[in-house]
Amino acid sequence: MAESAVVEAANRTAATSAFEPRIVAFVCNWCTYAGADLTGTSRIRYATNVRVLRLPCTGRIDFMLILQAFGQGADGVMVSGCHPGDCHYTAGNFHARRRWIVFRELLDFLGVDVRRICFSWVSAAEGAKWADLVNQFVQEIRALGPYREFPRRLPQLKPAEVC
Amino acid sequence: MPRIGVFVCHCGENIAGTVDPAAVAEAAARFPGVVHSVHYTYMCSEPGQNLIKEAIREKRLTGVVVAACSPRMHEPTFRRACAEAGLNPYLCEMANLREHCSWVHEKVPATTQKAIDLVRIQVEKVKRNRPLYPIKVPVTKRAMVLGGGIAGIQAALDIANAGHKVILVEREPSIGGHMAQLSETFPTLDCSQCILTPRMVEVAQHPNITLYTYSELESLSGFVGNFKARIRKKARSIDEKLCTGCGVCMQKCPTKKIPSEFNAGLGMRPAIYVPFPQAVPNKPVIDRANCVFFQKGRCRVCEKFCPTKAIRFDQQDEIIEVDVGAVVVATGYTVKPTSFFPEYGYGECPDVITGLHFERLASASGPTGGVIRRPSDGRIPETVVFIACAGSRDPAKGISYCSKICCMYTAKHAMLYRHKVPQGRAYVFYMDIRAGGKMYEEFVRRAIEEDQVNYVRGRVARIYERDGRLVVCGVDTLLNGRPVELEADLVVLATAMVAHEDAETLAQKLKVSYDTDRFLSEAHPKLRPVEMNTAGIFVAGACQAPKDIPEAVAQASGAASKVAGLFSQDELTREPVVAVVNRAPPPIWSTCVGCFLCESACAYQAIEREEIRTRDGQLIKTVARVNPGLCQGCGTCVALCRSRSIDLQGFTNEQIFAEVLAL
Amino acid sequence: MRIAYYPGCSLEGSSREYNESLEAIAPLLGWELIEVPDWNCCGASAAHSLNHELALALPARVLALAEKAGFEEVLVPCSACFTRLAAARHALSKDRALAARICELIELDCTGTTKVVSVLELLGRAASDGLAGLVRQPFACKVACYYGCFLTRPAELAVCRRQEDPQEMEELLRVIDAEPIRWAFKVECCGAGLSVARVDSVAELSGRIVEDAVRRGAEAIIVACPMCHTNLDLRRDAICRRRQTEFSIPVLYVTQAVGLALGLSPRRLGLHRHNVPVRLPAREKPEPVRES
């Protein structure tokens, strides 16, 4: 099933011969998800390439999720939460930010293209900002091209085994 | 074997206008585990919900995905529908095809493809959902209010009138706080004690309120609905049950020259004292540090003369333990003393005083009987200079905020002075005039126009003494910065309103947050002004931020209503989206290694330590345990855990990784 | 005790009596003052208002020379010199790049190991170390201790603890049996460098200082700075004209007051150089103790 998604995407790319980036966004429920809802309510258009995954807080984000996303064929990953100081859970986004600062160095060292990871703060009132962010990121990833460095070699692994 | 039902909503034209719901439903029908996949115009309507309920019953669904609007919109609606059909509500997820898809994209194939992807992601997630049940936490319906000023009094009365028990803890010998020290209150010039003392008496007589004065909080443990408080009732050295408040002991006490705290040091009191005549309770306290018997072993005059033999020199502090369900913190404020100002004499000049001193001078029951007199020689001042913003709004002095009440009480003081000394001249040196409340601006205009108070816009650089008068060196910025030098007989500084010195210690005892100025932090500056981040603890009054009496009262009533809400149920029901540390049979017990990184990361103090012991008490290991009553479900601990021992129900690792793998 | 000594320009010129009195009391207090070899002007307000690097390089060179000569402390009697040297030491310690640049300019190493010490501080040490025992002739006058600006500002460099109402000079004067008065102008500006360009401003500002001291019963004003002395003493005529009053209160350097108390002659201490004659009531002529 997961395979077919990748295949489908690849087929699509082959068919249209224009690379359409696959973007995954891990967002927090209280700020960015709400902000993205506002984008919808405001009917602001943006690129179709992003798939939003909802989490209670950016502090919940395990960086293995990001790597797995790349492994699943994502060409870019976005992580977005509440502005520092506004976290619904007080300090979750501080943890996320700290984790990102440390993790970015490690990823870069390991040869992961950290330009493909976009870390941002989008509040529930910033509907326009979310649209701009997505559009801009999609453009950047389109310029960088597909990311096939880390294909999953054991596609039959179940989620429980992967996490 | 999963049996998932997918319900794709058209939302009229909102979704169907851009996304092809039939195609989505058709694609979803082919997802592994999906046994039912339909589309309908309005899923949230009654017929729509019935579709879901019927499918649950007929197809024995183990999970439901509603592909419609944002879960922030209708998740509760569909979860309720599932529950009514007998499916655990937490086995229902929503795919956001509207706000995140149809409303933001064009009508192109990619949009429908995205919708299909979004549905697939949620199907994979819901296959890993487990039934969750709301967490029930018992509630002790007794509140503790810390602080017996106007805010504490208001909160206590409101909670008590709502039918719940209240324990009011006040560290001074009497309740009343600073409001009891005021002469008149702005903007009505109501006599402060006249409006306060009836409330104080009401507190003392209320059947639901237990009053502990001369007492402080020793410690607080537990969590919302289930706190354990330990209160230290300091030794008054009086048997309160026998004391009638006759006051003979105070008259007979030989030590009469102790600066009275209530009179801000301007008047004197004896070693055995009641702070003011209208004190509640009207029972004295022996100030052991200044009592001749306690310091030198002699005297005992009060004991000799007490008609009811109520003096108890051997009384000890008592620790009282109570169970409470909620705490309201209303511990109030203090003001900076004149010694804080080197440029105004280091506090060494008796005729440079604070606003609180002036209140006592103006007060009819004060040390001068309501006559404004210079503390140095008792003369009535002919010229009084009031300095606003003394310390406040001054980052160089470490206080960058505005104390909010000073513009108003300075105008009040100037007016009172002019009323009492009609031939006197009053000057106010100010930076701005902040009079934002109801009838406040009119009040200040009255001071300027009717009572001829001279307002000079400029700061005072320094004050020095010369020939018994005070030379005030300021500037008038509205006259091009011309220096102004005045000779005054009395200078009143509107000193900054600050948190108590030990506000930090109290905040740490309660495990609540506070800011760099030691004011307690509310949960959200705009929308949650009376709650704190620690569940079950509420805040009211100036301990949270500078404010005046109407605001303190309003906030206190707000806090009381939150407490009443908390107590309106016998059990607290909480969303089960909480973290859980895994447990396993022996010999593993748990994969948790006891590093407690989660404990230090948790903003809600929700992680506890659990000792796992053998049958005969040997400690095997100490592992983490999440208190479901406190956990707010952010998941920070889950990402931090080095051994993958903790997971967040509703957003488990398996669920989220499944979503990622469904891409 | 050996200590580096930086007299600065004014002590060689218009305020030479400060130098004379300091050198006269030094041996009595056990101080050996070693002048910093090849010292230069500290730049005072002239360099400070024109060029930031010059304003740091000039005093830094003096510090570097003292450091090179191996001294841990350098005594700086003039308050302006004191503040320039202390400011340079402070600025260089905070900014490594700046320090490197300045050292390059002066072609010397200035690492800040030499501390800058004021006369007040050094006399304070003597006061707690037996100065009272050396007093031959109690000063016995009512004195107004005038600190001026640089001993209390800026806050990071201040020698005195209570910036609005310092007490160090008073404590010292009490040890020599003077009677310091409480007065209101001890840290108010005297007019400083306006002494040359705007004598009228000095007459006003210094006039207020003199007036307050006299009004509160002082018999002498004690200073620790050549600029203060010049404005309060040399400009006395302008002050009297401005205030339309005859003020005859003398202005003494703190070293002169201590010198008189230790029994040294007025001539030795340079009191004859003052504009306002130094007449102190109720003092007998002191017997000279040591003339060298």
Side-chain angles (χ1 to χ4, degrees):
Chain A
M1 171 261 312
E3 263 172 359
S4 66
V6 174
V7 166
E8 260 178 72
N11 286 345
R12 252 199 319 275
T13 312
T16 61
S17 78
F19 160 59
E20 274 309 318
R22 291 176 63 77
I23 313 289
V24 179
F26 297 96
V27 307
C28 85
N29 177 57
W30 301 96
C31 282
T32 305
Y33 197 90
D37 275 356
L38 180 61
T39 320
T41 328
S42 317
R43 311 289 198 277
I44 302 174
R45 300 291 154 110
Y46 55 90
T48 52
N49 309 61
V50 73
R51 306 284 180 266
V52 171
L53 294 187
R54 181 170 74 127
L55 297 158
C57 178
T58 44
R60 173 70 185 85
I61 294 169
D62 195 322
F63 279 70
M64 288 307 297
L65 284 172
I66 299 180
L67 294 176
Q68 283 298 334
F70 283 129
Q72 269 308 105
D75 302 304
V77 171
M78 298 173 77
V79 174
S80 183
C82 306
H83 286 266
D86 294 346
C87 177
H88 180 85
Y89 302 100
T90 318
N93 58 356
F94 291 144
H95 285 279
R97 178 171 65 177
R98 218 176 302 155
R99 242 172 256 154
W100 169 232
I101 290 170
V102 171
F103 205 63
R104 183 176 52 192
E105 302 258 327
L106 178 63
L107 286 184
D108 188 46
F109 177 77
L110 292 175
V112 176
D113 188 354
V114 294
R115 295 172 300 176
R116 294 173 180 274
I117 307 176
C118 169
F119 211 87
S120 64
W121 311 121
V122 175
S123 80
E126 292 175 316
K129 183 175 173 187
W130 175 247
D132 286 340
L133 203 60
V134 171
N135 285 335
Q136 195 193 340
F137 192 58
V138 168
Q139 248 184 312
E140 282 170 22
I141 301 297
R142 198 175 278 128
L144 287 174
Y147 198 48
R148 299 284 167 262
E149 302 286 318
F150 299 97
R152 286 193 58 215
R153 301 196 198 282
L154 295 174
Q156 71 274 23
L157 277 186
K158 297 207 246 318
E161 294 162 304
V162 155
C163 67
Chain B
M1 279 308 297
R3 300 176 61 77
I4 310 297
V6 174
F7 303 86
V8 184
C9 185
H10 296 213
C11 198
E13 277 296 299
N14 283 310
I15 294 179
T18 335
V19 170
D20 182 353
V24 176
E26 201 213 331
R30 287 183 267 124
F31 293 160
V34 173
V35 301
H36 182 83
S37 182
V38 297
H39 60 100
Y40 183 67
T41 37
Y42 293 104
M43 286 310 306
C44 55
S45 66
E46 211 185 308
Q49 290 189 47
N50 283 336
L51 275 180
I52 301 176
K53 292 186 205 175
E54 279 157 21
I56 290 173
R57 289 190 210 103
E58 284 164 19
K59 297 276 178 92
R60 290 170 293 115
L61 298 178
T62 59
V64 161
V65 173
V66 181
C69 50
S70 172
R72 293 173 62 90
M73 189 89 198
H74 272 310
E75 191 177 69
T77 314
F78 293 116
R79 285 197 168 165
R80 211 172 16 243
C82 289
E84 282 164 16
L87 181 70
N88 183 289
Y90 294 91
L91 298 175
C92 168
E93 292 285 348
M94 285 186 73
N96 188 338
L97 299 192
R98 193 181 69 172
E99 281 86 339
H100 284 196
C101 197
S102 68
W103 273 352
V104 292
H105 300 317
E106 307 293 336
K107 190 176 176 164
V108 291
T111 309
T112 301
Q113 181 56 49
K114 175 170 173 175
I116 293 172
D117 286 346
L118 290 176
V119 173
R120 185 177 54 245
I121 288 170
Q122 292 308 318
V123 166
E124 287 305 307
K125 181 178 188 215
V126 89
K127 288 204 291 205
R128 277 96 189 166
N129 279 24
R130 300 264 162 75
L132 296 176
Y133 304 94
I135 296 163
K136 295 221 186 280
V137 174
V139 180
T140 308
K141 295 191 193 183
R142 187 184 296 112
M144 179 169 68
V145 177
L146 296 176
I150 184 62
I153 288 171
Q154 183 67 40
L157 286 173
D158 284 347
I159 298 171
N161 285 333
H164 303 295
K165 298 268 183 247
V166 181
I167 296 183
L168 179 55
V169 182
E170 165 58 51
R171 74 163 157 206
E172 295 300 318
S174 166
I175 54 175
H178 284 301
M179 190 174 169
Q181 292 175 290
L182 308 181
S183 59
E184 277 118 331
T185 55
F186 56 79
T188 47
L189 293 183
D190 274 329
C191 154
S192 181
Q193 289 216 359
C194 304
I195 56 179
L196 176 66
T197 43
R199 300 268 172 117
M200 288 165 59
V201 172
E202 216 186 315
V203 163
Q205 294 177 342
H206 204 294
N208 278 346
I209 300 180
T210 307
L211 183 57
Y212 289 118
T213 52
Y214 209 52
S215 304
E216 280 189 76
L217 181 71
E218 184 84 350
S219 69
L220 184 75
S221 61
F223 55 96
V224 57
N226 301 273
F227 290 110
K228 273 200 175 357
R230 290 172 71 244
I231 299 167
R232 175 180 292 274
K233 191 160 185 297
K234 299 186 287 198
R236 291 180 103 99
S237 316
I238 305 289
D239 184 335
E240 286 175 75
K241 290 197 264 307
L242 296 176
C243 173
T244 58
C246 67
V248 170
C249 52
M250 291 189 272
Q251 286 164 8
K252 298 295 184 191
C253 177
T255 317
K256 290 214 167 22
K257 297 283 191 196
I258 302 164
S260 157
E261 293 85 350
F262 184 76
N263 280 322
L266 286 181
M268 301 296 177
R269 61 158 175 84
I272 183 168
Y273 71 106
V274 167
F276 55 102
Q278 300 81 11
V280 167
N282 196 355
K283 315 260 155 119
V285 145
I286 296 185
D287 172 7
R288 293 187 176 189
N290 284 303
C291 165
V292 172
F293 172 72
F294 282 104
Q295 294 304 309
K296 299 190 189 133
R298 302 189 305 267
C299 188
R300 302 180 84 127
V301 168
C302 51
E303 192 185 38
K304 263 199 284 286
F305 281 94
C306 176
T308 53
K309 303 274 172 274
I311 308 289
R312 294 279 175 278
F313 291 118
D314 55 355
Q315 198 178 68
Q316 299 294 315
D317 289 356
E318 207 189 314
I319 301 284
I320 298 169
E321 293 196 356
V322 279
D323 288 337
V324 296
V327 179
V328 177
V329 188
T331 47
Y333 67 99
T334 184
V335 291
K336 278 289 186 201
T338 52
S339 56
F340 188 59
F341 303 93
E343 63 271 37
Y344 302 152
Y346 288 98
E348 288 160 11
C349 176
D351 296 327
V352 175
I353 59 175
T354 65
L356 215 44
H357 288 124
F358 191 86
E359 294 284 349
R360 295 315 302 147
L361 289 175
S363 194
S365 57
T368 55
V371 180
I372 310 295
R373 291 189 187 282
R374 284 157 47 100
S376 60
D377 55 16
R379 277 188 4 216
I380 297 179
E382 296 292 311
T383 306
V384 180
V385 166
F386 298 88
I387 300 180
C389 289
S392 310
R393 307 178 61 191
D394 196 341
K397 287 215 179 321
I399 300 172
S400 44
Y401 56 85
C402 166
S403 291
K404 202 164 193 192
I405 56 172
C406 326
C407 283
M408 288 306 295
Y409 77 61
T410 294
K412 176 187 77 173
H413 287 169
M415 285 166 75
L416 290 178
Y417 168 69
R418 290 278 301 134
H419 295 171
K420 290 174 192 271
V421 187
Q423 75 279 17
R425 289 156 72 146
Y427 294 86
V428 174
F429 280 89
Y430 71 100
M431 298 209 287
D432 295 287
I433 300 189
R434 296 177 166 188
K438 196 163 179 177
M439 298 303 291
Y440 282 17
E441 175 68 22
E442 294 88 328
F443 183 79
V444 178
R445 294 311 311 169
R446 215 177 111 190
I448 296 172
E449 290 164 13
E450 287 177 29
D451 293 314
Q452 279 124 35
V453 176
N454 297 293
Y455 269 73
V456 180
R457 186 175 177 274
R459 305 203 66 185
V460 171
R462 71 183 190 119
I463 300 174
Y464 62 90
E465 278 182 86
R466 187 171 67 194
D467 296 335
R469 302 195 82 195
L470 297 164
V471 180
V472 176
C473 307
V475 65
D476 190 336
T477 59
L478 296 179
L479 279 181
N480 261 335
R482 183 177 304 179
V484 168
E485 217 171 84
L486 290 174
E487 274 196 1
D489 300 302
L490 182 67
V491 174
V492 185
L493 306 177
T495 60
M497 201 179 187
V498 294
H500 286 291
E501 283 297 311
D502 57 351
E504 206 172 328
T505 318
L506 178 66
Q508 286 163 358
K509 271 188 199 163
L510 299 171
K511 300 204 197 65
V512 294
S513 354
Y514 54 97
D515 62 25
T516 45
D517 299 307
R518 289 200 308 272
F519 287 117
L520 301 182
S521 300
E522 64 286 356
H524 189 279
K526 286 286 195 198
L527 297 179
R528 299 175 71 196
V530 298
E531 298 158 88
M532 305 189 82
N533 271 328
T534 312
I537 304 190
F538 305 94
V539 66
C543 61
Q544 180 251 340
K547 58 172 62 72
D548 54 24
I549 292 169
E551 289 172 335
V553 171
Q555 198 179 28
S557 290
S561 82
K562 293 287 181 191
V563 172
L566 194 64
F567 291 176
S568 64
Q569 311 145 115
D570 290 319
E571 280 180 324
L572 280 180
T573 305
R574 304 193 62 240
E575 279 268 316
V577 177
V578 292
V580 176
V581 182
N582 66 25
R583 291 286 184 269
I588 297 174
W589 297 105
S590 172
T591 59
C592 170
V593 300
C595 74
F596 297 108
L597 199 57
C598 51
E599 188 189 34
S600 51
C602 180
Y604 299 97
Q605 329 277 341
I607 309 277
E608 293 164 356
R609 297 183 178 219
E610 190 181 325
E611 290 178 345
I612 299 183
R613 293 182 177 272
T614 61
R615 240 178 275 256
D616 40 291
Q618 298 261 48
L619 180 66
I620 302 174
K621 64 197 249 184
T622 310
V623 298
R625 187 190 157 268
V626 179
N627 181 333
L630 286 177
C631 175
Q632 302 290 318
C634 70
T636 301
C637 55
V638 177
L640 276 178
C641 181
R642 296 162 174 157
S643 55
R644 281 258 189 273
S645 307
I646 191 169
D647 216 346
L648 182 62
Q649 292 181 311
F651 291 93
T652 61
N653 279 320
E654 200 189 346
Q655 284 169 292
I656 303 179
F657 276 93
E659 288 184 77
V660 173
L661 293 179
L663 288 169
Chain C
M1 180 199 55
R2 297 179 81 243
I3 189 170
Y5 177 47
Y6 173 63
C9 306
S10 29
L11 265 73
E12 305 270 283
S14 51
S15 302
R16 65 159 64 91
E17 66 272 21
Y18 194 5
N19 198 3
E20 285 171 345
S21 52
L22 181 55
E23 289 193 337
I25 64 171
L28 297 183
L29 298 173
W31 303 343
E32 196 188 335
L33 307 177
I34 320 277
E35 246 184 71
V36 175
D38 194 34
W39 60 262
N40 54 269
C41 167
C42 70
S45 27
H48 179 58
S49 11
L50 290 175
N51 183 309
H52 186 61
E53 278 186 349
L54 180 66
L56 290 173
L58 288 170
R61 184 171 178 277
V62 175
L63 288 172
L65 290 169
E67 198 179 307
K68 185 161 157 201
F71 288 99
E72 280 179 8
E73 289 181 324
V74 55
L75 175 64
V76 183
C78 166
S79 293
C81 297
F82 174 85
T83 209
R84 292 314 309 150
L85 262 66
R89 182 168 180 256
H90 184 79
L92 264 59
S93 73
K94 288 261 170 300
D95 187 340
R96 297 262 135 247
L98 180 65
R101 167 94 188 110
I102 299 294
C103 290
E104 193 194 316
L105 273 177
I106 61 178
E107 294 172 358
L108 282 169
D109 254 330
C110 177
T111 61
T113 48
T114 308
K115 264 193 71 211
V116 189
V117 174
S118 66
V119 160
L120 209 52
E121 226 181 297
L122 213 59
L123 282 173
R125 289 183 209 169
S128 32
D129 194 26
L131 175 62
L134 299 173
V135 172
R136 294 261 168 279
Q137 178 90 52
F139 198 73
C141 292
K142 289 205 172 73
V143 295
C145 294
Y146 178 63
Y147 292 76
C149 301
F150 287 129
L151 292 173
T152 55
R153 335 193 233 283
E156 332 54 283
L157 306 175
V159 163
C160 300
R161 282 181 313 270
R162 276 161 63 110
Q163 288 182 261
E164 303 276 347
D165 180 29
Q167 296 290 324
E168 282 83 351
M169 217 190 286
E170 276 87 339
E171 283 160 13
L172 172 66
L173 268 292
R174 274 189 209 107
V175 170
I176 59 169
D177 289 317
E179 202 186 313
I181 55 153
R182 280 194 59 145
W183 65 306
F185 279 75
K186 54 165 90 168
V187 294
E188 295 303 298
C189 178
C190 65
L194 292 176
S195 195
V196 176
R198 289 292 300 268
V199 183
D200 58 329
S201 292
V202 168
E204 177 61 40
L205 294 171
S206 289
R208 291 185 202 170
I209 295 167
V210 170
E211 186 172 59
D212 197 68
V214 167
R215 173 196 222 129
R216 296 188 197 243
E219 294 162 323
I221 300 177
I222 311 293
V223 300
C225 165
M227 187 81 258
C228 304
H229 192 273
T230 301
N231 283 345
L232 295 171
D233 177 79
L234 196 58
R235 298 286 175 234
R236 184 60 63 85
D237 302 331
I239 289 171
C240 294
R241 269 199 304 278
R242 176 90 182 192
R243 292 237 97 55
Q244 312 238 312
T245 316
E246 275 307 305
F247 292 116
S248 58
I249 183 171
V251 185
L252 273 76
Y253 286 100
V254 62
T255 42
Q256 291 174 325
V258 169
L260 285 176
L262 295 181
L264 296 171
S265 75
R267 187 135 195 115
R268 178 84 195 288
L269 297 168
L271 289 175
H272 58 284
R273 298 195 197 281
H274 293 192
N275 182 30
V276 178
V278 181
R279 281 188 212 98
L280 297 166
R283 282 183 58 91
E284 300 144 6
K285 265 181 85 72
E287 264 127 52
V289 171
R290 280 207 312 252
E291 301 257 340
S292 54

